[in-house]
Amino acid sequence: MRSSSDSSTFKLDQRVHSTNDPRRIGTVKYIGPVEGHPGTWVGVDWDNGEAKHDGSLNGVRYFEARSQLSGSFVRAQNLTAGISFIEALYIRYRDQPTQEDEDEMYVLSASNKRVSVQLVGKEKIQDKLSRLEELTGASLSYLGVSNPGSPNEIRNIVPNLKELDLTGNLLSEWKDVGIICEQLPSLAALNLSNNSMSQEIVGLPLLKSIHILVLNNTGINWTQIEVLKELLPVIEELHLMGNGINAIKTASSSIVHGFDSLRLLNLEENCIAEWNEIVKLSQLRSLEELHLNKNNLNHIFYPDHDTIDKLVGGDESHDQSCIPFQNLRCLLLGGNNIDDLASVDSLNSFPKLIDIRLSENPIADPGRGGIPRFVLVGRLAKVEILNGSEVSTRERKESEIRYVRLVMSKLHGNPNEIKQHPSNTLLPADNQPQLDYRFVELKNFHGIEDERSSVGTTGPQKMASGLLSVTLKSVAPSIGEKPPLTKKLPAATTIGKLKILCETFFKLGSIRPKLFLQEEGSPLPILLDDEMATLMDVGIGNESTVLVDEES
């Protein structure tokens, strides 16, 4: 790639990268002398925050860096201002591999010696890629692209591009993006992630063929999205991860309108804390997937028309015939701060919602006082995919029955209360929901009778009716391989008591057991560390598997 040794090549706020590392990208913030050091220096604020100072040196302030250690001074010859689109294309698809590249293609033999690898059909692949006019997809990520090049150059060389990845380049002006897109009439998918784009969207034409646009980590905000919306008439997927978005700010309305074709909106890893901001998206009729992982949400609800009326205010009307989130089928909420059952229950009100992610929220983490997977499945009537795992017919039936029995066990001391407050005893104690219609519905659906002890019931008979078949499986290294044990245990057995039983069953001696519940559909087992909780409390049901490990 071309480098420059002349500081006059650079200008303030220009995007540059290190001559020897195109992934080390930053913004020029200063050009001039540095006290105590001869010559002209370029002050750069580096994107990755890994540098030497905050823009000041020896008590002299030269520029303001984004963080205390993101700035440094660099000689001009160690920076490059980038290359054109076509130059990058030639580097990626026409240049022959260097000897260094060839040397890197090896595997290690059994004797730990390098054995060179030859790609079968390499020449054929390279020949096909070198015919640029036939390319339909191109990845030019981290090649230092800073400009579109000469007029019509792109159109003449790669006229058939449909997918283009420009991740991590030096583009910043929307007019340059527009020039590239105008020359690619078939372009349907464009990725501009990790390009620091200008706050002013000027010179961008109507992007009438773009169906997928990825703008992750570009510094874009929703005000700019409102401008882009008018230029994206057929957009179906819009990805906006990592942009620090904390509000959905519209120009003339409290509700987002337009985006008639938008099917997927990705707002992961932003800073949205209020669900009312998300409610502003509820009138997008085609929206099927909404990704909100890793924001700051602590409560959600399904908006009715009254809620939307309050949101838009008295001076603005909305279409009463439009059902909020009417086609939403996938809602990803992982890694937020949701901690209440009311939020979980509200998911039942979304008309078509079947794919839900709640992992890494307090409410879905039993280790933080949340509820186990089977309770989530029991309460979420329509969910088919939970936390990325399919809810099978068998899992749903077992989860619903376990959930009903959990509630009933909590109310066992006062059976009449089941009809009055059927879910008012779910774990944890500080997470008490209102009347749970799901409990009543499931109890009737599965024909589960209230557990009342009759006068003639003997102790042993009563005990047997509450026995659970539990498989204990040793996974502790010092215990060694032992066959799993299946035991009949009372549902009221505490975790502390189960640990003592495991010490006896597996003859652990001085080894202190550590127990985990292995649940169907959960990627990781759940730690059972509350020794006062009963098997029923923690979600251990009939035919459950408990892993027996050892304290480290």
Side-chain angles (χ1 to χ4, degrees):
M1 293 184 193
R2 298 181 312 194
S3 62
S4 174
S5 58
D6 184 358
S7 60
S8 64
T9 303
F10 302 106
K11 60 183 180 180
L12 294 182
D13 294 325
Q14 182 177 5
R15 299 286 285 168
V16 295
H17 70 68
S18 172
T19 300
N20 297 320
D21 184 2
R23 289 180 176 266
R24 183 164 172 75
I25 300 171
T27 304
V28 174
K29 292 297 183 181
Y30 173 82
I31 303 171
V34 175
E35 187 176 314
H37 299 272
T40 300
W41 293 83
V42 181
V44 180
D45 191 9
W46 298 100
D47 290 0
N48 63 6
E50 297 176 2
K52 298 181 178 180
H53 51 69
D54 64 353
S56 62
L57 188 64
N58 297 327
V60 180
R61 170 69 60 187
Y62 295 92
F63 64 93
E64 291 281 351
R66 288 180 300 112
S67 66
Q68 290 185 336
L69 294 174
S70 65
S72 69
F73 292 106
V74 186
R75 292 293 190 186
Q77 62 265 28
N78 294 324
L79 297 172
T80 177
I83 58 178
S84 72
F85 181 99
I86 293 300
E87 286 177 295
L89 197 72
Y90 285 163
I91 290 170
R92 180 58 51 86
Y93 293 102
R94 275 201 172 168
D95 286 3
Q96 294 297 315
T98 64
Q99 186 60 45
E100 183 179 351
D101 293 331
E102 297 284 358
D103 291 342
E104 288 298 317
M105 297 173 62
Y106 66 89
V107 294
L108 293 175
S109 67
S111 57
N112 208 36
K113 292 182 179 180
R114 290 190 179 193
V115 179
S116 296
V117 173
Q118 293 292 327
L119 288 179
V120 176
K122 178 181 69 174
E123 292 79 7
K124 185 176 181 180
I125 295 171
Q126 288 178 341
D127 177 62
K128 182 176 181 180
L129 291 177
S130 67
R131 297 198 298 271
L132 298 178
E133 70 280 0
E134 296 181 12
L135 274 184
T136 57
S139 175
L140 305 182
S141 58
Y142 294 100
L143 287 176
V145 177
S146 61
N147 64 88
S150 303
N152 295 317
E153 191 175 31
I154 298 173
R155 188 196 317 273
N156 294 332
I157 295 174
V158 282
N160 295 308
L161 272 190
K162 296 180 180 178
E163 299 178 2
L164 176 59
D165 183 0
L166 288 169
T167 297
N169 281 288
L170 306 181
L171 295 166
S172 60
E173 298 298 327
W174 290 99
K175 63 179 178 59
D176 290 334
V177 175
I179 292 171
I180 292 171
C181 291
E182 279 188 310
Q183 298 181 66
L184 299 171
S186 299
L187 189 64
L190 175 63
N191 190 344
L192 292 171
S193 296
N194 297 326
N195 286 274
S196 183
M197 301 305 298
S198 169
Q199 294 295 302
E200 294 188 21
I201 301 177
V202 293
L204 191 63
L206 189 68
L207 303 176
K208 54 187 177 183
S209 65
I210 297 291
H211 291 264
I212 301 172
L213 181 60
V214 186
L215 297 172
N216 299 336
N217 302 300
T218 57
I220 199 166
N221 57 46
W222 196 268
T223 301
Q224 293 171 288
I225 295 300
E226 287 288 303
V227 176
L228 284 177
K229 177 177 66 176
E230 305 303 324
L231 304 173
L232 297 164
V234 295
I235 192 72
E236 295 180 17
E237 289 188 21
L238 184 58
H239 298 263
L240 304 171
M241 292 175 62
N243 286 304
I245 296 172
N246 58 20
I248 308 297
K249 295 181 180 179
T250 57
S252 58
S253 169
S254 299
I255 297 290
V256 176
H257 297 287
F259 283 126
D260 294 336
S261 303
L262 188 64
R263 185 179 55 80
L264 184 154
L265 178 59
N266 186 348
L267 287 166
E268 294 187 14
E269 298 180 21
N270 280 289
C271 305
I272 301 171
E274 297 296 328
W275 183 250
N276 273 334
E277 297 299 320
I278 303 303
V279 171
K280 295 175 183 178
L281 305 170
S282 63
Q283 304 292 292
L284 299 180
R285 295 173 182 266
S286 298
L287 190 64
E288 296 178 7
E289 297 188 40
L290 183 55
H291 298 188
L292 297 170
N293 292 327
K294 298 184 178 179
N295 276 272
N296 299 318
L297 297 165
N298 54 32
H299 176 69
I300 68 171
F301 59 88
Y302 182 73
D304 54 23
H305 287 298
D306 289 341
T307 303
I308 297 176
D309 283 339
K310 290 178 183 178
L311 184 66
V312 301
D315 298 330
E316 183 183 339
S317 62
H318 72 278
D319 186 355
Q320 292 281 344
S321 66
C322 181
I323 301 171
F325 295 112
Q326 61 182 355
N327 283 307
L328 191 69
R329 62 175 184 80
C330 173
L331 180 58
L332 306 185
L333 295 163
N336 281 279
N337 302 314
I338 300 168
D339 62 358
D340 63 313
L341 281 166
S343 291
V344 174
D345 292 339
S346 72
L347 297 172
N348 285 315
S349 298
F350 290 74
K352 295 184 179 180
L353 189 59
I354 58 172
D355 185 351
I356 300 169
R357 181 175 291 277
L358 287 168
S359 53
E360 299 181 66
N361 280 281
I363 189 62
D365 183 357
R368 290 191 286 170
I371 56 180
R373 178 181 170 93
F374 82 90
V375 174
L376 291 173
V377 173
R379 295 184 80 106
L380 296 171
K382 295 176 291 188
V383 66
E384 296 179 9
I385 301 173
L386 179 62
N387 298 335
S389 298
E390 182 181 357
V391 178
S392 66
T393 303
R394 175 183 174 181
E395 183 188 6
R396 171 158 294 285
K397 180 179 179 180
E398 291 181 351
S399 295
E400 290 175 350
I401 293 173
R402 288 171 66 187
Y403 168 62
V404 171
R405 293 202 179 280
L406 172 62
V407 176
M408 293 175 69
S409 72
K410 290 294 182 178
L411 296 165
H412 188 68
N414 187 1
N416 292 328
E417 194 175 342
I418 291 177
K419 296 178 180 178
Q420 300 168 14
H421 303 286
S423 69
N424 205 30
T425 52
L426 254 182
L427 294 176
D430 59 350
N431 214 339
Q432 302 297 345
Q434 297 299 316
L435 185 69
D436 177 19
Y437 75 92
R438 278 294 286 166
F439 170 83
V440 177
E441 182 179 67
L442 293 175
K443 183 171 175 290
N444 294 332
F445 178 77
H446 291 290
I448 301 173
E449 297 295 329
D450 296 342
E451 294 183 358
R452 293 188 175 88
S453 54
S454 62
V455 176
T457 302
T458 64
Q461 289 174 328
K462 188 175 179 180
M463 176 72 76
S465 66
L467 292 180
L468 302 173
S469 178
V470 179
T471 298
L472 304 172
K473 184 178 179 182
S474 170
V475 295
S478 60
I479 297 177
E481 288 191 20
K482 292 190 176 182
L485 300 175
T486 299
K487 297 291 182 179
K488 297 280 189 179
L489 300 172
T493 303
T494 64
I495 297 302
K497 177 64 175 177
L498 181 57
K499 287 183 178 181
I500 295 172
L501 292 173
C502 287
E503 292 174 1
T504 303
F505 294 153
F506 292 104
K507 300 178 181 178
L508 300 184
S510 61
I511 298 173
R512 181 66 177 159
K514 190 175 184 179
L515 306 183
F516 296 85
L517 173 60
Q518 190 173 52
E519 275 202 306
E520 181 182 353
S522 293
L524 296 173
I526 300 169
L527 175 64
L528 306 176
D529 56 353
D530 184 355
E531 297 198 357
M532 299 303 295
T534 67
L535 301 187
M536 186 67 78
D537 290 340
V538 297
I540 295 177
N542 210 34
E543 299 184 2
S544 289
T545 298
V546 173
L547 305 180
V548 183
D549 202 347
E550 59 188 281
E551 296 282 1
S552 55

